[in-house]
Amino acid sequence: MNDIQNNLLSAVETNWYSFVTSIIAFAILFFLARKRLGFGLRVIIGMGLGLVVGIIFQNLGYETKGITTFGSIYVNLIRMLVIPLVFILVLNSISSLTSLDYLRKIGFKTFAWFLGTTGVASIIGLLIALLFNPGSGIQQAVPEGFTAREIPTFSQVILDLVPSNPFNEAAQGKVVPVLIFALFLAVAIIKVGSKNAEAVKPVRDLIQSATQVMHQVVKFIIRLTPYGVFALIAGITAKYGWDTLQELGSVIVTSYVALIVHFVLVFGGLVLFVAKVNPIRFFRKIYPTIAVAFTTRSSYAVLPVNLEVITKRLHVSPRIASFVAPLGASVNFNGCGGIWPAIVAVFTAQVFGIDLSITDYIILVIVSIISSIGVAGVPGPAVISTTVVLTALGLPLEGIAIVAGVEALIDMGRTAVNATGTTVTSLLVANSEGEFDREAFNRDEDEEDIALNAV
């Protein structure tokens, strides 16, 4: 007991200014939250406070251990979420389909477009990141206890993807086998439910309840983001200085270049060459979706507007819209699950001086596609996808902490790309099923404008 008291007194004596500063910063952020200041703005303010505190501490030579402890707690809480959240959300998003016949008819096409465009987004993010080298100006030591992962053979990679004991693999933090196990369970639920709906009703109810509970847990953790960002940025600034953090501007530029390339070339190309409609007219018609997604940063928040846009402005049948749009809110994450994890993975590898091989790049794309399924449609889902990708590649999760301060700025563009991808998929599926009214789409007169306050 005496040792504990001595350690506590020593920590207070040597880091009291760090603890006091943290309490003041947290009080400011809490006050802003009570005043209902926007989440994204609070994250930016947290980053700003962290920059100021870090610069002051660096100039005065103060220790930041008290502050960085709070940042480590935030990172650990994110780690805590990965396995249970991804498992439950993947299981819920797939098992919600009513029958295998329905899944085969339009479900396969929908998933193919969702996952296919996410894979392309991951490749674009990877190529743009390799071109811009966003982490080349930041050099940090590899975290203590981190050892470089030995590059496995291709056959070993395939074996590692196949679950053998999902509970043991979950305990070891192996994400991909858990994801595949969830996919098998979801398909089995659909198969059994098509023959006897009552037999799987308790399971579906349990999954839906667990999903709601996990959504609430995610909200708890996400609410801590401004505080976590302050602590992490303060510690990094104090250790590496303002010049180091200036390099994060390259992360923003790299991300938006990749998002714009995907938006224009991939979405525009699919609309023009596959659906054979004017992409300029298409993007003009879906403007309400883009605007609401950009401002709310939530795929679920934009869902009501997106349904109206898809049916009344794109003239896609309600049957297709009611299937694709809700599913897109849980599965279609081109920005959050494709582009962003790829950029952060390359950034983290460059910052910590870890070389990635061609095999790593292939794993990155595959894991990005799989992990994008079922990511929660609330502000902050990219943290989970990125954690999954970094874990699969054996990269330090501290890379997420370094870019956390600018993520809110990038998340607006990511969410707009996600929501746009859902409208594009709705058009493509409806066009292939003969449930797209091309004549109505091509008329100069649009239906009544969708109010942006429909959310």
Side-chain angles (χ1 to χ4, degrees), residues 285-297:
K285 284 175 176 286
I286 69 167
Y287 165 74
T289 291
I290 299 173
V292 174
F294 191 85
T295 53
T296 63
R297 299 172 48 237

Side-chain angles (χ1 to χ4, degrees), residues 12-22 57 61-64 67:
V12 172
E13 288 175 358
T14 58
N15 293 282
W16 65 267
Y17 41 81
S18 182
F19 286 112
V20 170
T21 303
S22 298
F57 274 42
Y62 285 174
E63 289 287 338
T64 60
I67 297 178

